[in-house]
Amino acid sequence: MNDTDDQTGFDLVPPSASALVESLRGVGYSMPTAVADLIDNSISAGATTVHVRGLWAGRDTVISLLDDGQGMDGDELTNAMRLGWRSPLANRSASDLGRFGLGLKTASFSQCRQLTIASRKNGRLSIRRWDLDHIARGDINDWQLLRSPSPGSGRLLAPLNAMNNGTMVLWEHLDRIVGNVSPDDRREHESFLALMDDVRDHLAMVFHQFLEGHSKASTFRIFLNGETEAHRIKPWDPFLRDHGATFTFPEEMFRSPDGTAVRMKGYVLPHKDRLDEKQFVRGGGPRGWTAQQGFYVYRNRRLLVAGSWLGLGHVRQWTQEEPYKLARIRLEIPNTADDEWKIDIKKSLARPPNRLRPRLRDLAENVRQQARKVFAYRGAYGNRAVIGGLEHVWLTRKRGDASTYRIDRNHPAVRAVAAECGGTHCVLEALLRVVEETVPVQRIWLDSVENGEVDSGSFSEVPPMEVMEVMSAIYRNLRLVQGMTPQAAKSQLTRTEPFHRVPDLVNLLPDDPAGEREGKP
């Protein structure tokens, strides 16, 4: 009796169709990233205009995408619907935005149970449909790609009738988006509209270089839920390049280990004090100022990673912290570097090759430090000359691994109060120690994390007359008690925090503070 299995030849083990497609649904796309993956195919097909529509109808809601690209014939469409129809190792054109031959299918399956693509090429219409419920039937469980739209959905393909070339993608049975809900469900409807807003913001970011075009007249357009200029998605520039206060680093170009060119350019965005309300909101991007800091990785002008430090750092990996939120770095790689940079199926992750990491880290550190200075000096750094010997109110000292904060006893305001107090100097010292020991460091840190930057004062919201009142008190002490000349006293104030920020007001101080105090001209 032979108790050993046959060890010659091989077994064919095709995957279970139903099990595999259900597993692919968990790749991890969001709806905005899934729609972006569809538009990649439109761009690769030479489209100049893409229409994205969300047709709300409760459980029967449909999302469609129509482009005016070159279209596909029946065989081409079948291949496009095949999972993994092209190897990621195959040679591709330099402008190709795909890689694995899975994006169209995995992106769609992550959102819907029925994917229909209709395409016209040279006037001839071809239709293919994946229906996950059809595949899951017990008597089928096979890769049956249907050649017709679902019953009642043919009308949705009508826009193709007027086109000689073009492609439409339909997502139906959107169980991951709306589920089994009524068209009258107001809350679900509002949630769906908010999701479409997220799609708009994501597309404006990911394809901003295409939407900007090579000139002011853009050659690529995306419309959302309409055809007028109001429905046209406007590009979101992560680097605020049209703002005069944006600090720009020179572009760096270097070679990856495989010889491909990598380009990097750093930007430090303006402090919020240099932006109006609209600019500030828009500059924050889809995820907000702190979350949008870091590297922006592009491949063939298409944004892959929107704000990440890519695992770089000194000693420990950098994280997205408030002081560095103005730092953004453009990094451009070719599609031949996909494997080297570990680009994932969703085209949302990238990891720099080990040989490039030290150089990227050093270049990024320069951008981070410049951003920290702009943040700390509220936008004044880099636009005004650095003030030598500036007298700060607060002094920072290291105590082990922690920092302590003390008020400078030599600050002119402190000296002025001490001089006025005379014999009660000890009371002033007690007050200063109480203030120092009760600085709400944790509260300030929490407020900055939860609400964004905390207003540091510096007279930013104080009327000029109130600033003058405070400053005049210090000025009188410098002139009348310490005996400084008008020129020396004003010079002292321009080198003293926070009055160094209002030099124009300092120059308005009278030469004779005694006369000004008595109400004389």
Side-chain angles (χ1 to χ4, degrees):
M1 179 178 178
N2 187 354
D3 60 356
T4 302
D5 192 19
D6 182 9
Q7 297 182 1
T8 63
F10 55 85
D11 294 327
L12 289 175
V13 190
S16 164
S18 179
L20 180 57
V21 293
E22 293 296 340
S23 298
L24 289 175
R25 303 195 77 200
V27 169
Y29 284 91
S30 67
M31 181 175 156
T33 58
V35 173
D37 224 323
L38 301 187
I39 293 179
D40 287 343
N41 291 280
S42 297
I43 293 174
S44 295
T48 60
T49 303
V50 176
H51 289 275
V52 179
R53 287 184 171 85
L55 308 174
W56 171 258
R59 65 181 63 86
D60 297 319
T61 295
V62 175
I63 291 176
S64 70
L65 182 147
L66 174 68
D67 71 47
D68 61 356
Q70 63 191 19
M72 294 173 280
D73 61 27
D75 291 341
E76 291 171 327
L77 182 51
T78 296
N79 279 332
M81 293 289 265
R82 189 190 308 275
L83 275 75
W85 73 276
R86 180 177 57 181
S87 169
L89 302 178
N91 292 328
R92 292 168 289 150
S93 70
S95 60
D96 193 353
L97 298 180
R99 181 188 180 195
F100 294 94
L102 288 171
L104 169 65
K105 284 74 68 175
T106 53
S108 299
F109 293 160
S110 71
Q111 308 298 312
C112 69
R113 298 194 65 80
Q114 196 165 128
L115 165 64
T116 303
I117 299 184
S119 189
R120 278 192 181 276
K121 185 169 186 178
N122 298 324
R124 185 177 180 84
L125 178 67
S126 301
I127 299 174
R128 298 292 186 270
R129 172 166 55 101
W130 281 121
D131 187 329
L132 304 192
D133 294 323
H134 176 81
I135 291 175
R137 282 175 48 184
D139 60 332
I140 296 178
N141 194 20
D142 203 354
W143 301 101
Q144 291 191 2
L145 181 61
L146 305 174
R147 295 189 174 188
S148 63
S150 59
S153 296
R155 58 183 176 81
L156 298 173
L157 306 179
L160 275 175
N161 294 339
M163 303 173 67
N164 195 51
N165 297 286
T167 299
M168 174 174 277
V169 179
L170 291 181
W171 287 352
E172 299 175 276
H173 297 184
L174 302 168
D175 61 327
R176 297 289 179 87
I177 298 176
V178 294
N180 188 27
V181 300
S182 165
D184 299 326
D185 191 322
R186 182 176 177 181
R187 180 175 297 178
E188 287 291 335
H189 188 193
E190 291 177 350
S191 177
F192 179 74
L193 293 177
L195 193 55
M196 296 303 293
D197 287 340
D198 292 342
V199 169
R200 178 197 62 219
D201 294 342
H202 186 72
L203 299 183
M205 175 177 68
V206 168
F207 298 106
H208 78 89
Q209 291 200 48
F210 292 90
L211 298 172
E212 292 164 359
H214 297 290
S215 65
K216 293 184 178 180
S218 175
T219 57
F220 182 73
R221 304 178 301 168
I222 304 175
F223 292 86
L224 181 66
N225 286 336
E227 300 181 357
T228 70
E229 187 63 22
H231 299 99
R232 180 177 176 178
I233 294 179
K234 308 301 190 297
W236 178 69
D237 176 12
F239 312 112
L240 297 186
R241 287 169 294 180
D242 60 350
H243 196 287
T246 295
F247 185 92
T248 304
F249 285 78
E251 182 175 270
E252 301 276 349
M253 196 279 282
F254 42 93
R255 297 285 176 181
S256 286
D258 70 347
T260 57
V262 175
R263 287 180 167 80
M264 173 176 160
K265 189 175 184 67
Y267 299 86
V268 175
L269 274 58
H271 189 275
K272 72 174 185 179
D273 287 355
R274 306 293 299 274
L275 303 171
D276 59 35
E277 183 177 354
K278 184 177 179 180
Q279 290 172 330
F280 179 73
V281 171
R282 184 161 178 79
R287 293 184 291 129
W289 281 90
T290 301
Q292 296 279 183
Q293 68 184 265
F295 284 96
Y296 285 68
V297 182
Y298 295 83
R299 185 190 63 171
N300 294 347
R301 301 168 60 208
R302 197 266 201 203
L303 181 60
L304 303 181
V305 177
S308 167
W309 291 115
L310 302 180
L312 301 176
H314 293 283
V315 182
R316 65 178 180 87
Q317 292 184 3
W318 293 325
T319 57
Q320 292 174 313
E321 302 173 57
E322 189 78 3
Y324 304 102
K325 68 181 183 180
L326 303 179
R328 295 179 185 175
I329 303 168
R330 191 183 79 231
L331 191 63
E332 297 186 355
I333 64 175
N335 63 5
T336 54
D338 283 0
D339 185 58
E340 189 175 57
W341 282 74
K342 306 297 187 293
I343 305 301
D344 69 335
I345 291 176
K346 296 181 295 178
K347 290 171 281 192
S348 61
L349 295 175
R351 184 171 180 80
N354 289 334
R355 285 175 55 187
L356 292 183
R357 295 174 72 83
R359 185 167 187 185
L360 289 174
R361 180 194 62 211
D362 293 343
L363 293 171
E365 181 64 22
N366 292 335
V367 180
R368 283 167 55 86
Q369 291 308 313
Q370 178 73 8
R372 192 177 190 277
K373 291 174 182 177
V374 173
F375 174 83
Y377 290 91
R378 303 184 69 84
Y381 186 89
N383 297 295
R384 299 177 184 171
V386 177
I387 300 174
L390 180 64
E391 296 195 41
H392 297 284
V393 178
W394 288 94
L395 302 176
T396 305
R397 297 174 182 169
K398 297 291 291 185
R399 181 189 292 170
D401 293 332
S403 297
T404 61
Y405 303 93
R406 293 288 180 260
I407 296 174
D408 186 1
R409 276 25 176 204
N410 290 318
H411 189 278
V414 177
R415 295 204 311 267
V417 175
E420 292 285 343
C421 291
T424 61
H425 179 75
C426 59
V427 177
L428 172 63
E429 180 62 25
L431 172 62
L432 296 180
R433 287 305 306 273
V434 169
V435 172
E436 291 171 339
E437 297 300 330
T438 57
V439 176
V441 176
Q442 295 298 325
R443 181 69 261 171
I444 294 171
W445 180 81
L446 285 172
D447 286 342
S448 67
V449 170
E450 295 173 356
N451 306 315
E453 186 175 345
V454 177
D455 186 0
S456 64
S458 299
F459 296 133
S460 59
E461 302 294 334
V462 177
M465 289 303 297
E466 186 175 335
V467 178
M468 287 293 289
E469 183 178 349
V470 175
M471 190 164 51
S472 294
I474 309 300
Y475 180 66
R476 284 195 297 270
N477 178 270
L478 295 174
R479 288 278 289 112
L480 304 179
V481 177
Q482 300 186 41
M484 288 187 178
T485 65
Q487 182 178 1
K490 292 178 183 180
S491 176
Q492 173 75 66
L493 288 175
T494 58
R495 291 182 287 106
T496 300
E497 188 181 43
F499 308 116
H500 70 292
R501 298 189 183 278
V502 288
D504 294 340
L505 293 182
V506 172
N507 291 329
L508 294 177
L509 291 167
D511 287 347
D512 181 8
E516 181 261 350
R517 191 171 187 175
E518 297 169 3
K520 297 179 181 179

